[in-house]
Amino acid sequence: YTIFAIGMLSGRFKLPTIAIGLLALPLLTTLGLKGDPAVFYSNNIVLEFGLGIILFHLARFPDCSRAAYLGLAGLGFAMLYAGWGSGPRVLVSGVPALLIVWSSLKACKGWLQSKTLTLLGDASYSIYLVHWTSFGLLKNLGHAPILIPVYILTGISAGIVVHLLIEKPLTRAIARFSRSVSTMKKMHAEAL
């Protein structure tokens, strides 16, 4: 979230700021800075969150041919295969995953017009937040590979429910509150 906030404040330099921030964070531990902040900000999960922010900005890049994007997706899969387990996860899994997702989105642009996929995208943060909880509710079923679809569908379903019943109403309420505060500030400024 710190990377995200810095990126929001950096205007047109968002993408370079985020990229530099991601590269600099692991240096916290190598420079001898120890403790919870250094461990947290150099954690692969946190760095991969930053890659997600970069993905958002990459999605705005101009389009090229589908063949080029499919080639980049293939390169991402090759990088993932070649680097698996041989280095920091953010580099050997996260960066190839970023390349795969970005190039796949660009290659499939216009092909994926679906209300279901739009709902999944809109609910993705809620799915992310609740999927482990939903998995915990199913732990008594065991961990047989045949149950993987059950776990996935339960996580997605729980995330969609949270999105529709909690996230969307809260987002609307916050937007209304923000508009009313803006209106009050404007009225106050005009009164002065």
Side-chain angles (χ1 to χ4, degrees):
Y1 293 108
T2 301
I3 298 170
F4 187 67
I6 291 169
M8 286 175 40
L9 294 173
S10 59
R12 63 188 182 108
F13 300 107
K14 284 180 184 163
L15 187 58
T17 301
I18 292 167
I20 291 167
L22 284 174
L23 294 172
L25 285 176
L27 294 176
L28 289 172
T29 53
T30 60
L31 293 174
L33 299 173
K34 303 292 182 202
D36 291 340
V39 171
F40 177 80
Y41 284 110
S42 61
N43 183 294
N44 281 300
I45 297 291
V46 173
L47 297 174
E48 288 170 5
F49 181 79
L51 290 177
I53 297 169
I54 290 173
L55 175 63
F56 170 78
H57 291 287
L58 286 175
R60 297 177 177 182
F61 273 41
D63 293 333
C64 30
S65 71
R66 287 190 203 280
Y69 285 121
L70 291 173
L72 287 172
L75 174 64
F77 280 111
M79 290 168 58
L80 190 61
Y81 177 78
W84 191 260
S86 64
R89 192 177 93 179
V90 70
L91 296 178
V92 298
S93 297
V95 172
L98 170 72
L99 185 60
I100 292 165
V101 172
W102 173 64
S103 55
S104 297
L105 284 172
K106 290 297 218 173
C108 296
K109 191 173 184 178
W111 292 355
L112 301 175
Q113 302 300 324
S114 159
K115 289 182 180 180
T116 303
L117 291 176
T118 300
L119 175 62
L120 287 174
D122 291 345
S124 63
Y125 191 64
S126 291
I127 294 168
Y128 164 72
L129 289 177
V130 303
H131 76 282
W132 280 111
T133 304
S134 68
F135 292 173
L137 296 174
L138 300 174
K139 68 180 176 186
N140 291 334
L141 295 177
H143 299 289
I146 196 161
L147 292 173
I148 290 173
V150 173
Y151 277 84
I152 291 171
L153 289 174
T154 302
I156 290 171
S157 300
I160 289 172
V161 168
V162 168
H163 169 69
L164 294 174
L165 298 180
I166 298 172
E167 182 183 4
K168 282 183 79 169
L170 278 175
T171 302
R172 283 192 299 266
I174 290 168
R176 280 192 306 272
F177 176 75
S178 178
R179 282 192 302 271
S180 66
V181 168
S182 294
T183 302
M184 289 185 339
K185 284 182 179 179
K186 185 178 179 184
M187 290 171 51
H188 179 57
E190 289 173 355
L192 293 176

